[in-house]
Amino acid sequence: MPGKLKAKIVAGRHLPVMDRASDLTDAFVEVKFGNTTFKTDVYPKSLNPQWNSEWFKFEVDDEDLQDEPLQITVLDHDTYSANDAIGKVYIDIDPLLSSEAATVISGWFPIYDTIHGIRGEINVLVKVELFNDLNRFRQSSCGVKFFCTTSIPRCYRAVMVHGFVEELVVNEDPEYQWIDRIRTPRASNEARQRLISLMSGELQRKIGLKVLEMGGNAVVGYLQCFDLEGESGLVVRAIGTACTLDKLSNTYTPATAINPCNSSPSKDIKEAGFGEEAPGVPLSSGPPTPLRAQTFSSFSPSKSYSRQSSSSDTELSLTPKTGMGSGGSAGKEAGPLKALLRQQTQTALEQREFPFFTLTSFPPGFLLHVGGVVSARSVKLLDRIHNPALGNTRSYKLLDWNSFTADEPETRDAWWEEIRQEIKSHAKALGCHAVVGYSESTSICEEVCILSASGTAAILSSRFMQDSALDTEHRFEDLMSPGCAFCHIPYDELNMPFPAQLTYCHCCRRYKVPDVLFTTIDLPTEANVTGKGCLIQARLCRTKKKAQGEGNATAISNLLPFLEYELHTQLMNKLKLRSMNALFGLRIQISVGENMLLGLASATGVYLTALPSPGGIQIAGKTPSDITYEQHISNMQKKINDTIAKNKELYEINPPDLVEEVIGSPIPEPRQRSRLFRSHSESSDEVSELDLSHGKKDAFVLEIDDTDAVEDIHSLLTDAPTPPGFYSCNTEIMPGIYNWTSALQMFTSVRVFRLSNVNLTNQGLNKVFNDLCENLLKSLYFKLRSMVPCCLCHVNFTVAVPEDELIQVAVTAVAMSFDKDQTQENGRQSIDKNLMKAITENEDQLQFPLELSAESSSNPLNSAKGLSEVSGPLPSARAPSVDYSSFTDRCSSWIEQLRLKAHTIRCGSIKTMSSLEKASPLPEGRSRSLRSNRSYAGSSVTVVKMTPLSFIPGTKIIKYLGIINMFFIRETTSLREEGGVSGFLHSFIAEVFAMVRAHVAALGGNAVVSYNMKECVFMENPNKNQAQCLINVSGDAVIFVRESELEATPPQPHSASAQTSSSGEGT
Amino acid sequence: MSMELDVFVGNTTIIDEEVYQLWLDGHSVSDAVRMRLESDALSECEASGEVLHSDTMDQYRTFQMCERLLHCPSKLANQLLFQIPAHRQAMLIERYYEFDHTFAREVLGKKLSKGTKKDLDDISLKTGVALKSCRRQFDNFKRVFKVVEELKGPLVENVQHHFLLSDSLARDYAAVVFFANSRFETGKRKLQYLSFQDFAFCAGQLISYWTVGAVDNMMEDMDVDLEKEFLHDLKDLKVLVNDKDMLDQHKSLVCYQLKGKIKAFSEMEANFKNLSRALINIASKLTNTKDVRDLFIDLVEKFIEPCRSDKWTVGDLTLFLTHYTSTAHTLEMFRFQILWERYMGVIKSCILKMYHD
């Protein structure tokens, strides 16, 4: 009996009128946990009842505490008929189970009804008393912290990164139970919501147990997903990275934090050992860039049939191999010690079944080299017969699919296992022992399911994977210039897993780098980037014949490689068009519908200084005889060249060696019907790696020999440039922008497009899809125009084919304003010229916003993020050239002085969040007439910021309160009355936001970071005037404080504020 | 091929003030899109009609969802559905409750009933304010009226407290409520020249000086009705015209003060008794509800029009009324100083406000 849960119902407000006669409501509340239910008294005839109940006490197992939500139902008492439900509140009490998170849940929660939406609010107090349980065989995992954030959370330090954890649970979907035919939609929806809540709880508990087993205390990058498989059930699965985290206390000084991150034991990658691994891999070649994708499918219930087809191999292997014969001399200095260290890492990783990490950014020194993107897909047939034990009679009994593995080999677990093995082998082929930025997803249409997994093959340092005792031994390793190390190829250049052009790194000039780098991770903070980045999308639509069962699965798996190949081609072309050479945060989503396949690849393109400058794009015609045709081609060529030039200017890409850039090197003879390949100048036969003065420029050749190609080029050029003042990326941060202000707008936008023309060609579909995405972006830019200059960060597109002729696109992103005029505050520029000089010498990228005005809470320190570690409070003082940490200290103390000055000027009041919000100036002209004594009851609602990023600029996260993982269903039978589908979804999304905010506020938080809308399933039936929508969101509830406030607080000891400023740099 | 669904939801609700105004003014989505396309402000954004349409739809939807809350502005502040910064909330409320003075002028003094609501299309035609907007404004009047009608305490503050409006807007609403409650006649042809602002000013004067709340600030006081006792006492002022000696003495005192100071002196001298009689008669009749309603028409017919035909200037009138009021104090037999002051103070400022073409 290790826990006591206590709940108190305080009051309600804004309740709906339930009694038409009196225009009032006789409300009471049922509080339920597990099988125990308490009731409050009826508070008669009021829309604002004051129950002020006693404490309801539940004595429960901590196992139940983890699994079950607290269920609060508000009802209207009716003497004669059954009581009417007003709505419900589900409260996840998991945050109360960890000593470091929230201690009490208290606040106003929206009362939610799946049919009517939010109907008033209820004030609830919840506490948990937990008794220590030292039972070794316990089933609970209380105290394990969960984070959605895919980096080490801001106020923690990673002691150990244990690795991949995964789990899945399966149950029957209540919506498909026989009982659903006789119960109300409300009952069915609530059954589903409750079931998913239970399953999530159970899943989290099981993952927690695995983490404890591994010796960790936290899961970072926790990603939980639902697969609504319809008839065959409901799968809740989760992956994450187990870690041991240390909370950074306030007295923790940066000096001590330096120690653990000071060494990167292994940096060298060019050991022979890796060549030997490569042949073991089934793939011998792949796309020219490090994107390895393989589709394999097995779609018959008789499991064994699994067809392997390496995607696009046939086409791409035509690409001429470049002669990279002579090994770089630089690589040969690899000492035996390094080899040893490397081996240690190797073994540390090999102990794990899957050396996967869901993290996308890393503590300094963890990520050594990046190989490229690895991905795997598999097409499966869902079948109900897998689940014979699931009878109709069980309603909510949870069943773990794992328990059936013995009888049924074809389980979801086995499917994922298969895919993960695939990924692992891909990574090996790239000479890498780990996969980072790993994620999994599914797309389901009827009984066909595409499972996808992708990640970035990488080589990691062993430092976070073994006992820290090793640390002190290899400090000498830190010679590598930090900005380019991760670009250096991890694979053996003599035995390259795919043809690629290698050159010497443009930064250190010692190691080999590929010409293009694709990754699924965030841009490492230490990376040297030229100019700014931008969002790059490849969009593709392919028709598919309607089919059933195996035929359908075969058709899909046959289409997949082509889809992936074309997406890849598009990405590559668009990247070249922007004159960039690397993609970060690459996410390829393939969505399957009855009669089409949608592919959407999003990534952030950047110019990595370390990588060679990309060549231009050359168009080649096939029939050069025709004059007009040639003219047409030269026109297009000109357009392309212009666009490239324009883009270079737009994204400020002027690498120092760009002067001799020639767009369009000699066009090679078009040998094959391959539209995309690399040319290489004949002079470069004798490897010119040593000659860095003129990096080989190779132009991409687009041959126009069919309509497809014309379409490709067309789509290239129709991508509208972002309007002035806007930038966009799908990663956490945008290279080249450091001076964020605190203006923040998270949003979700959803569009559904109906294709009325059934006989669309691929091209037509492509255009529709492309326009849909482009117009959506245009609309976003327009809506957010008041925030200019601003950057849309973490732009996350999800596509779906909800019905035959519908395409659904949903976007969640955050718009963040930044200060364009960095020299605006020129008065302060001169204050410390030396400092400025120091910065400019070290990082030409770095600009220093000296914005200290009272209104703007832009963080002057955030500019230091180029120097310092962004992903955590671990200061990175490891760069050999400059002592960054001391620099940081200097600069923070200097800024502190300024701040103090600025602060005394604005009358030294310590502002709270809400007062800050209120302090914003009233609209011109009105402020005069508004009385100061006007009371805004609004101060009672906490402002809760939401962002998909792991940080909020200008602030410091001081506490993580727990994970937010919510699932809602909304249904209507009066669609027209609610403003049609748009009105329905608009209010539903607003309601979801409201509920997330309310839960965060009740935990005592003021923001959600790493917010993610993982699922938005929308179904409609306009003829019946009905619609239904399911939304699943997640994030981390946090408390943040503005950095200006932190430093303004007088009792704060100096050491603490120094810590604040140095660890807050990343924010 | 069509967009089936198109929504945009921000964590902080985005409100475009320009679109909000278009919505308040009762324009349809397509009208609003057209007007936005034509406006210069957006030309730099190069927004296409499509983008504008989507944006306008979103905004309109947001406003429609907010409207329910705007009906009870204090709810807007503690609702959870929309996260709107406090100053934006104030803007939303203020704009929602702002009204067209031309419209208000038409409704002023009328009963805020269903009957009047039926006449709104006529008013819409007459004033050029869109019917939709008329309805909103009328409903606002009605809503404010209903809430503050029975409330104790100062009227303006009640409006302000319950509807979170700015001081000036609250005063305007107080005027509307006051007129609707007392049903003052404002529709007569002779009163047509008076604007809403004129009446609002007069209402302010009446509320400040002639209601129960005006004398003592006790919280139980009602601010909507004129003080019965005061109106009854006004009968006592008749002595000023009924007592021949007093009337003559009053006249001579005024003439003495004004000689050479006003242009219309001779006319004033000739008309003094009539004018004085008019003002006192108005005062003495105010016990009758019907006559209270006719206060403004009486002032115009009995006092303002004679003065106007004699071509008094505003300066003349000001001086006359000032001295007319003050000299009464020096009359030996006149004992109703406080009553006189309370009556004439309001009458003077109302007449001066109403004395224009």
Side-chain angles (χ1 to χ4, degrees):
Chain A
M1 191 65 65
K4 193 187 265 177
L5 171 70
K6 301 196 294 177
K8 183 185 170 104
I9 308 297
V10 184
R13 67 182 183 195
H14 307 158
L15 293 190
V17 171
M18 298 300 282
D19 180 4
R20 287 274 163 77
S22 64
D23 266 5
L24 288 168
T25 296
D26 305 318
F28 71 101
V29 182
E30 275 182 13
V31 188
K32 188 178 176 196
F33 190 83
N35 294 320
T36 318
T37 307
F38 292 102
K39 279 183 193 172
T40 68
D41 297 333
V42 176
Y43 193 92
K45 305 214 181 310
S46 172
L47 298 184
N48 300 292
Q50 304 289 321
W51 292 289
N52 224 347
S53 78
E54 56 185 300
W55 282 99
F56 299 122
K57 296 187 185 79
F58 302 88
E59 294 182 334
V60 276
D61 280 344
D62 50 358
E63 195 179 327
D64 286 340
L65 281 174
Q66 285 195 297
D67 288 4
E68 297 257 358
L70 180 68
Q71 183 180 321
I72 294 167
T73 313
V74 186
L75 298 114
D76 176 51
H77 175 75
D78 212 323
T79 322
Y80 304 109
S81 59
N83 298 329
D84 294 324
I86 295 173
K88 285 192 177 194
V89 181
Y90 293 97
I91 300 176
D92 179 12
I93 45 171
D94 221 39
L96 295 179
L97 304 180
S98 159
S99 53
E100 281 167 39
T103 52
V104 64
I105 297 175
S106 162
W108 289 99
F109 290 89
I111 302 167
Y112 181 74
D113 178 69
T114 58
I115 306 292
H116 294 103
I118 290 179
R119 303 171 98 190
E121 289 128 33
I122 185 167
N123 196 317
V124 181
L125 259 164
V126 186
K127 283 181 184 172
V128 170
E129 276 170 34
L130 210 58
F131 317 122
N132 264 338
D133 182 18
L134 301 171
N135 180 3
R136 274 179 57 233
F137 304 103
R138 61 181 186 169
Q139 285 301 299
S140 77
S141 53
C142 291
V144 174
K145 296 176 284 288
F146 284 80
F147 302 92
C148 293
T149 301
T150 56
S151 55
I152 300 302
R154 297 285 157 143
C155 46
Y156 290 91
R157 183 177 72 93
V159 180
M160 272 265 262
V161 180
H162 301 282
F164 192 59
V165 278
E166 49 77 29
E167 185 67 79
L168 63 77
V169 290
V170 178
N171 203 335
E172 203 174 2
D173 191 337
E175 184 110 336
Y176 294 88
Q177 284 168 328
W178 67 271
I179 194 171
D180 204 60
R181 280 176 225 145
I182 53 166
R183 66 181 163 191
T184 61
R186 176 182 284 119
S188 157
N189 291 339
E190 281 172 2
R192 250 176 142 188
Q193 280 191 177
R194 184 174 141 70
L195 176 68
I196 288 190
S197 182
L198 278 171
M199 289 170 82
S200 305
E202 186 194 335
L203 193 68
Q204 217 167 308
R205 174 173 59 84
K206 286 192 166 164
I207 289 216
L209 280 172
K210 287 193 177 177
V211 171
L212 290 175
E213 228 166 76
M214 292 165 102
N217 63 3
V219 182
V220 180
Y222 186 66
L223 176 73
Q224 185 194 288
C225 294
F226 301 98
D227 297 332
L228 300 169
E229 297 185 349
E231 289 281 322
S232 63
L234 200 147
V235 179
V236 185
R237 58 192 161 80
I239 54 173
T241 306
C243 294
T244 303
L245 298 184
D246 245 7
K247 180 137 172 80
L248 293 167
S249 61
N250 262 355
T251 48
Y252 202 80
T253 57
T256 51
I258 290 167
N259 194 21
C261 58
N262 218 3
S263 63
S264 68
S266 161
K267 58 169 181 173
D268 198 350
I269 45 156
K270 297 186 175 55
E271 279 131 62
F274 269 85
E276 290 154 22
E277 294 174 18
V281 181
L283 285 184
S284 57
S285 64
T289 49
L291 173 82
R292 287 182 73 89
Q294 185 166 32
T295 318
F296 63 94
S297 46
S298 70
F299 40 78
S300 86
S302 57
K303 56 174 179 159
S304 56
Y305 180 42
S306 154
R307 194 177 56 91
Q308 298 254 337
S309 82
S310 46
S311 79
S312 61
D313 274 0
T314 38
E315 283 192 76
L316 287 161
S317 54
L318 302 168
T319 318
K321 274 214 173 195
T322 39
M324 287 288 188
S326 68
S329 56
K332 285 176 181 160
E333 65 179 333
L337 183 60
K338 285 180 188 172
L340 179 74
L341 288 170
R342 185 176 175 78
Q343 230 156 23
Q344 285 176 344
T345 319
Q346 196 75 22
T347 47
L349 277 167
E350 269 163 9
Q351 285 163 2
R352 305 188 168 96
E353 190 183 10
F354 296 113
F356 295 172
F357 300 87
T358 53
L359 301 177
T360 58
S361 63
F362 307 89
F366 190 45
L367 181 72
L368 298 180
H369 307 292
V370 169
V373 169
V374 284
S375 79
R377 280 178 220 285
S378 153
V379 183
K380 300 285 182 186
L381 267 187
L382 303 169
D383 204 324
R384 198 174 169 74
I385 62 154
H386 293 320
N387 199 359
L390 290 175
N392 287 335
T393 45
R394 301 164 194 255
S395 47
Y396 300 128
K397 177 86 179 85
L398 291 178
L399 290 165
D400 186 353
W401 204 290
N402 291 327
S403 55
F404 293 95
T405 0
D407 331 319
E408 229 8 277
E410 274 278 351
T411 62
R412 308 302 185 271
D413 252 348
W415 291 355
W416 285 113
E417 168 109 18
E418 219 172 58
I419 290 220
R420 289 173 192 143
Q421 287 295 353
E422 184 72 21
I423 290 276
K424 192 178 173 183
S425 69
H426 284 330
K428 260 193 176 169
L430 286 173
C432 296
H433 55 216
V435 176
V436 293
Y438 180 73
S439 67
E440 295 175 347
S441 63
T442 56
S443 167
I444 298 170
C445 175
E446 301 293 324
E447 74 271 85
V448 174
C449 174
I450 303 182
L451 311 183
S452 311
S454 72
T456 304
I459 290 188
L460 301 176
S461 135
S462 67
R463 191 158 44 75
F464 288 98
M465 292 183 279
Q466 283 167 339
D467 290 336
S468 47
L470 276 168
D471 276 0
T472 44
E473 295 166 24
H474 4 89
R475 291 197 171 205
F476 59 91
E477 294 285 348
D478 282 43
L479 294 162
M480 193 182 295
S481 79
C484 62
F486 75 94
C487 310
H488 301 161
I489 53 161
Y491 36 86
D492 179 17
E493 63 179 291
L494 293 172
N495 215 332
M496 282 199 296
F498 50 80
Q501 270 189 329
L502 299 182
T503 50
Y504 275 98
C505 173
H506 283 225
C507 285
C508 65
R509 321 221 150 184
R510 291 170 66 197
Y511 300 99
K512 293 281 177 64
V513 292
D515 54 346
V516 190
L517 188 62
F518 284 13
T519 73
T520 56
I521 54 169
D522 269 328
L523 185 67
T525 32
E526 71 269 18
N528 292 330
V529 174
T530 305
K532 297 197 162 73
C534 81
L535 178 74
I536 292 178
Q537 283 195 323
R539 302 147 188 150
L540 205 64
C541 223
R542 283 287 169 264
T543 51
K544 172 183 86 68
K545 280 205 183 72
K546 272 193 191 179
Q548 293 293 314
E550 289 191 24
N552 196 16
T554 319
I556 291 169
S557 58
N558 282 341
L559 268 171
L560 278 178
F562 295 97
L563 210 63
E564 291 216 48
Y565 171 70
E566 289 208 24
L567 282 172
H568 182 254
T569 309
Q570 253 191 52
L571 277 178
M572 196 61 130
N573 288 343
K574 288 186 176 178
L575 188 68
K576 297 276 169 190
L577 196 70
R578 283 167 182 81
S579 206
M580 294 173 181
N581 56 19
L583 287 180
F584 287 89
L586 177 66
R587 192 168 159 265
I588 299 177
Q589 203 200 344
I590 290 189
S591 200
V592 58
E594 290 254 298
N595 53 3
M596 64 177 125
L597 278 173
L598 283 184
L600 180 71
S602 307
T604 301
V606 294
Y607 185 105
L608 284 178
T609 318
L611 265 49
S613 168
I617 297 172
Q618 187 84 37
I619 295 178
K622 202 171 189 187
T623 49
S625 50
D626 193 341
I627 288 286
T628 52
Y629 187 66
E630 281 209 327
Q631 204 155 17
H632 176 63
I633 282 177
S634 72
N635 271 345
M636 271 209 271
Q637 180 70 58
K638 191 171 173 303
K639 257 192 204 163
I640 285 176
N641 292 351
D642 288 351
T643 317
I644 290 177
K646 223 186 280 167
N647 279 333
K648 268 187 187 165
E649 206 177 303
L650 183 63
Y651 302 115
E652 294 158 32
I653 299 170
N654 332 292
D657 54 340
L658 199 76
V659 263
E660 84 277 39
E661 164 90 15
V662 185
I663 292 164
S665 60
I667 315 152
E669 289 296 302
R671 280 172 257 183
Q672 313 285 342
R673 259 205 78 249
S674 145
R675 284 180 285 109
L676 181 146
F677 54 92
R678 203 176 309 271
S679 76
H680 57 133
S681 60
E682 51 279 41
S683 62
S684 65
D685 286 342
E686 205 42 59
V687 194
S688 56
E689 296 101 320
L690 295 173
D691 188 5
L692 280 159
S693 57
H694 73 96
K696 264 189 306 175
K697 306 292 187 298
D698 57 334
F700 251 52
V701 178
L702 281 172
E703 187 188 331
I704 311 182
D705 55 353
D706 57 11
T707 44
D708 266 15
V710 175
E711 178 204 336
D712 276 358
I713 291 166
H714 193 70
S715 72
L716 261 186
L717 294 170
T718 47
D719 266 12
T722 52
F726 274 106
Y727 291 92
S728 56
C729 61
N730 75 337
T731 48
E732 288 245 315
I733 43 159
M734 177 72 163
I737 301 177
Y738 303 105
N739 40 347
W740 301 108
T741 68
S742 60
L744 194 78
Q745 172 67 281
M746 190 282 296
F747 59 85
T748 291
S749 186
V750 181
R751 284 191 179 185
V752 175
F753 194 85
R754 183 174 287 280
L755 308 158
S756 51
N757 187 352
V758 196
N759 299 319
L760 268 179
T761 57
N762 275 342
Q763 270 132 310
L765 268 178
N766 262 347
K767 185 163 166 13
V768 165
F769 184 39
N770 205 42
D771 287 351
L772 184 60
C773 295
E774 281 292 312
N775 289 338
L776 185 49
L777 280 170
K778 266 188 217 161
S779 265
L780 296 182
Y781 294 136
F782 177 75
K783 278 199 188 289
L784 300 161
R785 66 195 182 283
S786 63
M787 293 189 73
V788 158
C790 94
C791 179
L792 301 191
C793 294
H794 217 283
V795 180
N796 187 6
F797 272 71
T798 32
V799 292
V801 192
E803 268 171 50
D804 256 13
E805 285 147 18
L806 295 182
I807 301 180
Q808 175 189 321
V809 180
V811 191
T812 297
V814 61
M816 300 205 292
S817 285
F818 60 92
D819 236 329
K820 195 166 203 176
D821 221 355
Q822 302 180 17
T823 51
Q824 206 173 22
E825 306 278 312
N826 45 10
R828 291 186 182 104
Q829 286 281 32
S830 54
I831 291 177
D832 198 335
K833 273 210 170 127
N834 289 333
L835 183 68
M836 293 301 290
K837 218 172 143 195
I839 298 160
T840 38
E841 272 170 7
N842 295 320
E843 284 270 11
D844 45 0
Q845 287 302 305
L846 204 77
Q847 281 136 332
F848 217 68
L850 294 154
E851 233 288 313
L852 290 171
S853 73
E855 275 81 13
S856 150
S857 11
S858 92
N859 169 19
L861 287 172
N862 62 12
S863 64
K865 98 173 106 180
L867 300 170
S868 233
E869 172 53 31
V870 73
S871 68
L874 300 166
S876 68
R878 18 183 321 265
S881 50
V882 191
D883 182 3
Y884 288 137
S885 78
S886 68
F887 152 69
T888 317
D889 278 350
R890 256 195 302 144
C891 111
S892 65
S893 61
W894 159 67
I895 270 154
E896 220 172 343
Q897 279 182 357
L898 276 179
R899 275 249 184 81
L900 281 174
K901 271 185 203 160
H903 187 73
T904 41
I905 292 166
R906 53 176 156 123
C907 60
S909 68
I910 299 161
K911 288 176 176 166
T912 64
M913 244 318 282
S914 54
S915 70
L916 253 183
E917 291 289 324
K918 275 208 288 179
S920 30
L922 292 160
E924 195 83 21
R926 288 219 175 279
S927 49
R928 178 188 41 82
S929 59
L930 289 174
R931 268 204 204 164
S932 55
N933 65 355
R934 245 163 86 192
S935 61
Y936 289 113
S939 49
S940 65
V941 178
T942 322
V943 174
V944 175
K945 300 212 169 202
M946 287 165 78
T947 174
L949 306 182
S950 63
F951 64 95
I952 296 171
T955 67
K956 179 176 159 52
I957 293 170
I958 53 166
K959 197 170 181 186
Y960 282 79
L961 298 166
I963 200 168
I964 294 282
N965 187 4
M966 297 166 95
F967 177 85
F968 297 105
I969 302 176
R970 180 87 149 79
E971 187 166 344
T972 184
T973 47
S974 52
L975 188 57
R976 270 186 299 277
E977 294 78 359
E978 291 197 37
V981 283
S982 293
F984 170 71
L985 194 61
H986 192 141
S987 51
F988 184 37
I989 294 175
E991 281 165 356
V992 169
F993 285 0
M995 285 183 276
V996 170
R997 285 194 302 257
H999 276 81
V1000 172
L1003 288 170
N1006 56 8
V1008 186
V1009 296
S1010 299
Y1011 171 81
N1012 184 8
M1013 185 169 87
K1014 289 176 296 192
E1015 203 90 56
C1016 177
V1017 184
F1018 178 77
M1019 287 156 290
E1020 56 166 331
N1021 192 340
N1023 298 330
K1024 281 188 177 170
N1025 207 17
Q1026 287 175 344
Q1028 192 193 35
C1029 187
L1030 293 81
I1031 287 182
N1032 176 216
V1033 295
S1034 66
D1036 294 326
V1038 299
I1039 304 176
F1040 73 83
V1041 286
R1042 295 196 182 278
E1043 282 180 349
S1044 48
E1045 279 169 44
L1046 250 195
E1047 280 160 34
T1049 319
Q1052 201 92 1
H1054 179 78
S1055 64
S1057 61
Q1059 145 74 10
T1060 299
S1061 42
S1062 61
S1063 61
E1065 279 139 23
T1067 59
Chain B
M1 301 271 211
S2 60
M3 198 64 76
E4 185 96 354
L5 182 157
D6 180 6
V7 294
F8 176 98
V9 189
N11 182 37
T12 305
T13 306
I14 292 185
I15 290 151
D16 188 315
E17 290 190 40
E18 192 201 346
V19 186
Y20 188 46
Q21 197 56 55
L22 291 171
W23 178 73
L24 289 174
D25 289 344
H27 295 289
S28 68
V29 173
S30 50
D31 278 356
V33 171
R34 191 177 38 75
M35 289 163 88
R36 294 182 80 187
L37 270 175
E38 284 161 8
S39 79
D40 296 332
L42 295 179
S43 57
E44 65 200 41
C45 302
E46 295 167 18
S48 66
E50 207 178 322
V51 167
L52 279 175
H53 182 81
S54 142
D55 181 56
T56 312
M57 285 290 282
D58 261 330
Q59 293 278 314
Y60 269 49
R61 257 201 313 274
T62 309
F63 302 144
Q64 268 151 27
M65 283 190 247
C66 285
E67 192 165 16
R68 188 175 52 84
L69 299 163
L70 286 166
H71 290 168
C72 180
S74 56
K75 260 190 195 169
L76 189 66
N78 56 23
Q79 52 85 32
L80 303 175
L81 189 55
F82 298 103
Q83 183 160 279
I84 306 171
H87 74 274
R88 302 293 281 174
Q89 288 182 14
M91 186 279 291
L92 280 177
I93 296 167
E94 189 79 0
R95 289 272 188 95
Y96 189 77
Y97 281 91
E98 262 172 17
F99 52 84
D100 290 296
H101 287 171
T102 49
F103 170 79
R105 177 68 187 81
E106 295 300 320
V107 183
L108 211 55
K110 282 186 184 146
K111 208 172 167 186
L112 298 174
S113 63
K114 284 216 173 86
T116 316
K117 199 169 180 181
K118 274 178 199 149
D119 301 337
L120 286 181
D121 18 5
D122 293 339
I123 296 176
S124 167
L125 269 178
K126 190 177 169 191
T127 56
V129 178
L131 184 60
K132 237 182 179 173
S133 179
C134 285
R135 290 217 183 99
R136 171 182 58 85
Q137 299 183 26
F138 184 79
D139 288 343
N140 283 347
F141 288 163
K142 221 170 127 178
R143 196 177 312 115
V144 174
F145 183 83
K146 236 181 151 178
V147 168
V148 299
E149 189 183 25
E150 296 299 319
L151 284 176
K152 314 249 191 270
L155 183 55
V156 178
E157 274 174 43
N158 278 342
V159 173
Q160 216 169 2
H161 180 250
H162 278 90
F163 291 92
L164 308 174
L165 301 177
S166 70
D167 192 54
S168 60
L169 192 55
R171 281 179 195 289
D172 285 351
Y173 267 98
V176 171
V177 169
F178 188 73
F179 267 72
N181 187 56
S182 301
R183 307 273 308 281
F184 286 105
E185 178 58 66
T186 63
K188 287 262 164 63
R189 203 179 47 78
K190 278 182 182 166
L191 292 176
Q192 286 306 310
Y193 79 100
L194 290 168
S195 69
F196 171 76
Q197 282 95 332
D198 295 334
F199 281 120
F201 175 83
C202 297
Q205 291 292 312
L206 294 174
I207 293 168
S208 310
Y209 300 104
W210 284 8
T211 56
V212 187
V215 253
D216 48 318
N217 270 330
M218 275 158 50
M219 284 309 281
E220 297 100 86
D221 290 339
M222 299 281 289
D223 224 2
V224 194
D225 296 309
L226 297 176
E227 190 188 341
K228 286 268 171 350
E229 208 180 324
F230 163 70
L231 296 178
H232 186 263
D233 290 346
L234 284 175
K235 278 194 183 333
D236 297 338
L237 296 177
K238 273 190 163 171
V239 71
L240 278 174
V241 284
N242 289 351
D243 187 327
K244 186 101 173 43
D245 291 348
M246 211 182 263
L247 183 61
D248 288 338
Q249 205 183 341
H250 195 190
K251 179 183 173 185
S252 62
L253 278 169
V254 173
C255 291
Y256 173 75
Q257 290 285 340
L258 292 180
K259 192 150 197 182
K261 285 184 187 155
I262 62 171
K263 280 184 221 145
F265 184 77
S266 53
E267 290 90 338
M268 184 277 285
E269 203 172 15
N271 255 342
F272 180 85
K273 285 182 183 169
N274 285 339
L275 292 175
S276 185
R277 210 169 271 137
L279 291 178
I280 303 300
N281 277 341
I282 292 173
S284 60
K285 279 201 302 177
L286 284 177
T287 39
N288 200 338
T289 324
K290 168 79 180 67
D291 290 308
V292 172
R293 285 186 194 169
D294 287 339
L295 174 67
F296 295 101
I297 187 77
D298 285 347
L299 282 176
V300 168
E301 282 178 347
K302 307 267 167 58
F303 190 87
I304 291 173
E305 282 184 345
C307 292
R308 205 187 275 147
S309 63
D310 286 344
K311 303 213 159 51
W312 291 40
T313 63
V314 177
D316 292 348
L317 200 59
T318 315
L319 277 172
F320 170 75
L321 287 171
T322 310
H323 290 291
Y324 176 73
T325 312
S326 63
T327 49
H329 294 299
T330 56
L331 296 170
E332 279 167 32
M333 305 296 292
F334 189 61
R335 286 173 295 130
F336 311 104
Q337 310 287 358
I338 298 169
L339 189 68
W340 176 248
E341 194 64 42
R342 189 174 173 193
Y343 175 67
M344 276 312 291
V346 171
I347 290 294
K348 182 190 155 193
S349 39
C350 288
I351 289 175
L352 290 175
K353 187 74 186 177
M354 292 157 72
Y355 192 74
H356 61 84
D357 292 326

